[in-house]
Amino acid sequence: MFWESILPNPLAGAAQAVAAQPVMDDEVFAGFYERSARSLWAYLARTSGDPALAEDLMQESYVRFLTAPNPPSHVADGEVACRRYLFRIATNLMRDHWRRPRAASIEDIPENFFAQPSDASQSESRMILGPALAKMRPRERQLLWLAHAEGYSHHEIAEVTGLGSASIRLLLFRARRKIARLLEEGNRGRRQAC
Amino acid sequence: MLSACPRETEVKELVELGQWPQACAPELRAHVDACRSCKQFALVAATFRSARAEAIAEIKLPPPGVLWWRAQLRRRNAAVEKIGRPILGAQIFALAINLVLAVAFIGWQARHGLSWLTWFSSPASSAQAASLHLEALWSPELFSSTLSSSIANPLVMIPAIATLALLGGVAVYLASEKH
């Protein structure tokens, strides 16, 4: 009586852990991925300035989303909440990446890293925005992208970045003023060059 | 000054709909040209929207099945690790108990002169031990003296220590599994 009641418990617990239901099934996930991956990659690529890193972080974000212990439910909370949660994971991953000490060897850097993209392959907005974003702090880039490219509210940005709603307003105001000045200078420079 | 221009919302709507500046009313356009806040907002929002649209068209996505498979693999590995953790804890605990008891036993025996070592070296005593007298086990007067002498007997002590360590390990496993 005792052994039957005591011994199966650890095994049952283990089986439950192995067979625990994922956040969403594979078909629902495929749909969610198709709708959200491009914007997530754009966010990561433009705020990090490294498309290869953006792809790695994007994939890791989805894997962490699927293995998270308490993620928002796609059915109960909706896709918007899932998307916000995904952006939050990606933001944390990017922050961890920036905090990590850089110890890359020259052999680890991809061949095309130093190649300057030709003007023909770069669009006008990217040619203006790229240098301006490069002069911004990582946190400012994130805030600006989330607010102006993704159209998130201050409250949503606070959820994604983990900052307070009140400080978002101030930080975003300063970042916007700074990048507007840089964009205006960029536009002026391009007009003079033409 | 943190207060935004009240007309910023109108500009935002137009940018989000992709209608800025083509579908903008001349009156709003004149306001944006004159208002520094709205002008900056329009410039920044339109640039970011345009950059987003280009970036979205640029990426070739890996298939979702790969990510799904990776997630399943990671979940399974995490579960296996979770199962293995209490077992490893129990093994370490059992080993530690064994070592502590062995050291204590050797220390205690060393103080009594290690008399039982002669039991192994003498063939006659081995033969005596092999012949088991069952009646001696049931003799009440001998029970108290047997009990005290069995503590010094390695044939009793070693299985007792092993059993204790085994039960200790199982207890720790069951306790840590609940956590």
mmCIF file of all heavy atoms in Angstrom, chain A residues 60-84:
data_model
loop_
_atom_site.group_PDB
_atom_site.id
_atom_site.type_symbol
_atom_site.label_atom_id
_atom_site.label_comp_id
_atom_site.label_asym_id
_atom_site.label_seq_id
_atom_site.Cartn_x
_atom_site.Cartn_y
_atom_site.Cartn_z
ATOM 1 N N GLU A 60 16.004 32.371 -30.920
ATOM 2 C CA GLU A 60 16.081 32.087 -29.486
ATOM 3 C C GLU A 60 14.839 32.618 -28.764
ATOM 4 O O GLU A 60 14.338 31.983 -27.838
ATOM 5 C CB GLU A 60 17.361 32.716 -28.912
ATOM 6 C CG GLU A 60 17.604 32.475 -27.435
ATOM 7 C CD GLU A 60 17.742 31.004 -27.064
ATOM 8 O OE1 GLU A 60 18.084 30.184 -27.932
ATOM 9 O OE2 GLU A 60 17.474 30.684 -25.888
ATOM 10 N N SER A 61 14.341 33.761 -29.223
ATOM 11 C CA SER A 61 13.139 34.336 -28.599
ATOM 12 C C SER A 61 11.950 33.398 -28.757
ATOM 13 O O SER A 61 11.188 33.183 -27.808
ATOM 14 C CB SER A 61 12.787 35.679 -29.235
ATOM 15 O OG SER A 61 13.842 36.568 -29.125
ATOM 16 N N TYR A 62 11.786 32.834 -29.952
ATOM 17 C CA TYR A 62 10.656 31.917 -30.165
ATOM 18 C C TYR A 62 10.810 30.638 -29.344
ATOM 19 O O TYR A 62 9.830 30.131 -28.798
ATOM 20 C CB TYR A 62 10.506 31.582 -31.656
ATOM 21 C CG TYR A 62 9.775 32.656 -32.409
ATOM 22 C CD1 TYR A 62 10.441 33.529 -33.241
ATOM 23 C CD2 TYR A 62 8.401 32.819 -32.259
ATOM 24 C CE1 TYR A 62 9.771 34.536 -33.917
ATOM 25 C CE2 TYR A 62 7.722 33.818 -32.920
ATOM 26 C CZ TYR A 62 8.411 34.677 -33.747
ATOM 27 O OH TYR A 62 7.747 35.669 -34.395
ATOM 28 N N VAL A 63 12.035 30.130 -29.278
ATOM 29 C CA VAL A 63 12.257 28.902 -28.503
ATOM 30 C C VAL A 63 11.944 29.164 -27.021
ATOM 31 O O VAL A 63 11.265 28.375 -26.368
ATOM 32 C CB VAL A 63 13.703 28.380 -28.693
ATOM 33 C CG1 VAL A 63 13.988 27.221 -27.749
ATOM 34 C CG2 VAL A 63 13.930 27.946 -30.135
ATOM 35 N N ARG A 64 12.388 30.314 -26.532
ATOM 36 C CA ARG A 64 12.108 30.645 -25.125
ATOM 37 C C ARG A 64 10.627 30.894 -24.893
ATOM 38 O O ARG A 64 10.096 30.586 -23.837
ATOM 39 C CB ARG A 64 12.910 31.874 -24.699
ATOM 40 C CG ARG A 64 14.360 31.534 -24.605
ATOM 41 C CD ARG A 64 15.086 32.469 -23.700
ATOM 42 N NE ARG A 64 16.505 32.154 -23.721
ATOM 43 C CZ ARG A 64 17.398 32.721 -22.969
ATOM 44 N NH1 ARG A 64 17.042 33.652 -22.110
ATOM 45 N NH2 ARG A 64 18.660 32.391 -23.045
ATOM 46 N N PHE A 65 9.989 31.478 -25.894
ATOM 47 C CA PHE A 65 8.546 31.712 -25.792
ATOM 48 C C PHE A 65 7.814 30.367 -25.646
ATOM 49 O O PHE A 65 6.923 30.224 -24.819
ATOM 50 C CB PHE A 65 8.070 32.457 -27.051
ATOM 51 C CG PHE A 65 6.585 32.628 -27.135
ATOM 52 C CD1 PHE A 65 5.952 33.620 -26.418
ATOM 53 C CD2 PHE A 65 5.812 31.798 -27.923
ATOM 54 C CE1 PHE A 65 4.568 33.786 -26.481
ATOM 55 C CE2 PHE A 65 4.443 31.954 -27.999
ATOM 56 C CZ PHE A 65 3.819 32.947 -27.280
ATOM 57 N N LEU A 66 8.224 29.395 -26.467
ATOM 58 C CA LEU A 66 7.561 28.087 -26.433
ATOM 59 C C LEU A 66 7.881 27.287 -25.174
ATOM 60 O O LEU A 66 7.108 26.415 -24.793
ATOM 61 C CB LEU A 66 7.964 27.267 -27.664
ATOM 62 C CG LEU A 66 7.360 27.703 -28.989
ATOM 63 C CD1 LEU A 66 8.024 26.977 -30.150
ATOM 64 C CD2 LEU A 66 5.860 27.460 -29.022
ATOM 65 N N THR A 67 9.027 27.565 -24.560
ATOM 66 C CA THR A 67 9.407 26.791 -23.374
ATOM 67 C C THR A 67 9.182 27.569 -22.073
ATOM 68 O O THR A 67 9.545 27.086 -21.011
ATOM 69 C CB THR A 67 10.899 26.380 -23.455
ATOM 70 O OG1 THR A 67 11.676 27.558 -23.656
ATOM 71 C CG2 THR A 67 11.161 25.409 -24.571
ATOM 72 N N ALA A 68 8.610 28.756 -22.188
ATOM 73 C CA ALA A 68 8.411 29.598 -20.990
ATOM 74 C C ALA A 68 7.448 28.915 -20.019
ATOM 75 O O ALA A 68 6.494 28.264 -20.446
ATOM 76 C CB ALA A 68 7.867 30.950 -21.390
ATOM 77 N N PRO A 69 7.696 29.054 -18.694
ATOM 78 C CA PRO A 69 6.818 28.385 -17.724
ATOM 79 C C PRO A 69 5.409 28.970 -17.653
ATOM 80 O O PRO A 69 4.446 28.236 -17.548
ATOM 81 C CB PRO A 69 7.555 28.554 -16.399
ATOM 82 C CG PRO A 69 8.542 29.639 -16.604
ATOM 83 C CD PRO A 69 8.840 29.721 -18.061
ATOM 84 N N ASN A 70 5.286 30.298 -17.730
ATOM 85 C CA ASN A 70 3.953 30.913 -17.636
ATOM 86 C C ASN A 70 3.736 31.965 -18.726
ATOM 87 O O ASN A 70 3.598 33.151 -18.426
ATOM 88 C CB ASN A 70 3.755 31.561 -16.265
ATOM 89 C CG ASN A 70 3.739 30.555 -15.161
ATOM 90 O OD1 ASN A 70 3.020 29.560 -15.233
ATOM 91 N ND2 ASN A 70 4.552 30.769 -14.142
ATOM 92 N N PRO A 71 3.679 31.558 -19.964
ATOM 93 C CA PRO A 71 3.480 32.556 -21.026
ATOM 94 C C PRO A 71 1.998 32.927 -21.147
ATOM 95 O O PRO A 71 1.138 32.200 -20.643
ATOM 96 C CB PRO A 71 3.935 31.810 -22.280
ATOM 97 C CG PRO A 71 3.649 30.387 -21.964
ATOM 98 C CD PRO A 71 3.746 30.205 -20.491
ATOM 99 N N PRO A 72 1.678 34.052 -21.794
ATOM 100 C CA PRO A 72 0.258 34.360 -21.995
ATOM 101 C C PRO A 72 -0.381 33.332 -22.922
ATOM 102 O O PRO A 72 0.277 32.807 -23.823
ATOM 103 C CB PRO A 72 0.288 35.747 -22.641
ATOM 104 C CG PRO A 72 1.662 35.923 -23.162
ATOM 105 C CD PRO A 72 2.564 35.059 -22.361
ATOM 106 N N SER A 73 -1.644 33.063 -22.688
ATOM 107 C CA SER A 73 -2.341 32.073 -23.518
ATOM 108 C C SER A 73 -2.793 32.725 -24.823
ATOM 109 O O SER A 73 -3.343 33.827 -24.823
ATOM 110 C CB SER A 73 -3.538 31.534 -22.741
ATOM 111 O OG SER A 73 -4.467 30.980 -23.627
ATOM 112 N N HIS A 74 -2.576 32.018 -25.915
ATOM 113 C CA HIS A 74 -2.968 32.535 -27.224
ATOM 114 C C HIS A 74 -4.485 32.673 -27.311
ATOM 115 O O HIS A 74 -5.012 33.583 -27.948
ATOM 116 C CB HIS A 74 -2.453 31.584 -28.313
ATOM 117 C CG HIS A 74 -2.540 32.143 -29.687
ATOM 118 N ND1 HIS A 74 -3.519 31.795 -30.567
ATOM 119 C CD2 HIS A 74 -1.773 33.063 -30.313
ATOM 120 C CE1 HIS A 74 -3.342 32.463 -31.696
ATOM 121 N NE2 HIS A 74 -2.293 33.239 -31.575
ATOM 122 N N VAL A 75 -5.185 31.774 -26.622
ATOM 123 C CA VAL A 75 -6.660 31.781 -26.672
ATOM 124 C C VAL A 75 -7.220 32.809 -25.683
ATOM 125 O O VAL A 75 -8.021 33.667 -26.050
ATOM 126 C CB VAL A 75 -7.211 30.368 -26.357
ATOM 127 C CG1 VAL A 75 -8.721 30.351 -26.409
ATOM 128 C CG2 VAL A 75 -6.615 29.352 -27.324
ATOM 129 N N ALA A 76 -6.771 32.724 -24.426
ATOM 130 C CA ALA A 76 -7.350 33.577 -23.386
ATOM 131 C C ALA A 76 -6.862 35.027 -23.470
ATOM 132 O O ALA A 76 -7.657 35.963 -23.369
ATOM 133 C CB ALA A 76 -7.027 32.998 -22.015
ATOM 134 N N ASP A 77 -5.556 35.219 -23.648
ATOM 135 C CA ASP A 77 -5.000 36.582 -23.625
ATOM 136 C C ASP A 77 -4.938 37.223 -25.010
ATOM 137 O O ASP A 77 -4.793 38.439 -25.123
ATOM 138 C CB ASP A 77 -3.593 36.565 -23.007
ATOM 139 C CG ASP A 77 -3.594 35.971 -21.612
ATOM 140 O OD1 ASP A 77 -4.395 36.422 -20.793
ATOM 141 O OD2 ASP A 77 -2.807 35.054 -21.354
ATOM 142 N N GLY A 78 -4.961 36.405 -26.040
ATOM 143 C CA GLY A 78 -4.942 36.948 -27.395
ATOM 144 C C GLY A 78 -3.547 37.071 -27.980
ATOM 145 O O GLY A 78 -2.539 36.993 -27.260
ATOM 146 N N GLU A 79 -3.521 37.279 -29.297
ATOM 147 C CA GLU A 79 -2.239 37.322 -30.004
ATOM 148 C C GLU A 79 -1.427 38.567 -29.648
ATOM 149 O O GLU A 79 -0.195 38.523 -29.636
ATOM 150 C CB GLU A 79 -2.485 37.262 -31.511
ATOM 151 C CG GLU A 79 -1.192 37.158 -32.279
ATOM 152 C CD GLU A 79 -1.348 36.554 -33.656
ATOM 153 O OE1 GLU A 79 -2.208 35.661 -33.827
ATOM 154 O OE2 GLU A 79 -0.630 36.981 -34.561
ATOM 155 N N VAL A 80 -2.126 39.664 -29.348
ATOM 156 C CA VAL A 80 -1.409 40.910 -29.027
ATOM 157 C C VAL A 80 -0.552 40.711 -27.776
ATOM 158 O O VAL A 80 0.612 41.130 -27.729
ATOM 159 C CB VAL A 80 -2.406 42.076 -28.843
ATOM 160 C CG1 VAL A 80 -1.690 43.350 -28.432
ATOM 161 C CG2 VAL A 80 -3.170 42.307 -30.136
ATOM 162 N N ALA A 81 -1.128 40.037 -26.786
ATOM 163 C CA ALA A 81 -0.384 39.781 -25.539
ATOM 164 C C ALA A 81 0.793 38.850 -25.799
ATOM 165 O O ALA A 81 1.885 39.057 -25.255
ATOM 166 C CB ALA A 81 -1.311 39.181 -24.490
ATOM 167 N N CYS A 82 0.572 37.839 -26.637
ATOM 168 C CA CYS A 82 1.660 36.904 -26.977
ATOM 169 C C CYS A 82 2.787 37.648 -27.688
ATOM 170 O O CYS A 82 3.970 37.419 -27.431
ATOM 171 C CB CYS A 82 1.152 35.782 -27.878
ATOM 172 S SG CYS A 82 0.095 34.624 -27.028
ATOM 173 N N ARG A 83 2.409 38.528 -28.571
ATOM 174 C CA ARG A 83 3.384 39.307 -29.344
ATOM 175 C C ARG A 83 4.212 40.218 -28.423
ATOM 176 O O ARG A 83 5.421 40.325 -28.556
ATOM 177 C CB ARG A 83 2.588 40.158 -30.333
ATOM 178 C CG ARG A 83 3.287 40.524 -31.601
ATOM 179 C CD ARG A 83 2.312 41.360 -32.392
ATOM 180 N NE ARG A 83 2.991 42.081 -33.422
ATOM 181 C CZ ARG A 83 2.987 41.715 -34.698
ATOM 182 N NH1 ARG A 83 2.340 40.640 -35.079
ATOM 183 N NH2 ARG A 83 3.620 42.425 -35.588
ATOM 184 N N ARG A 84 3.508 40.851 -27.492
ATOM 185 C CA ARG A 84 4.186 41.726 -26.535
ATOM 186 C C ARG A 84 5.168 40.923 -25.684
ATOM 187 O O ARG A 84 6.276 41.363 -25.418
ATOM 188 C CB ARG A 84 3.150 42.387 -25.635
ATOM 189 C CG ARG A 84 3.236 43.873 -25.697
ATOM 190 C CD ARG A 84 2.279 44.626 -24.863
ATOM 191 N NE ARG A 84 1.311 43.926 -24.086
ATOM 192 C CZ ARG A 84 0.011 44.101 -24.191
ATOM 193 N NH1 ARG A 84 -0.480 44.931 -25.086
ATOM 194 N NH2 ARG A 84 -0.830 43.466 -23.403
#
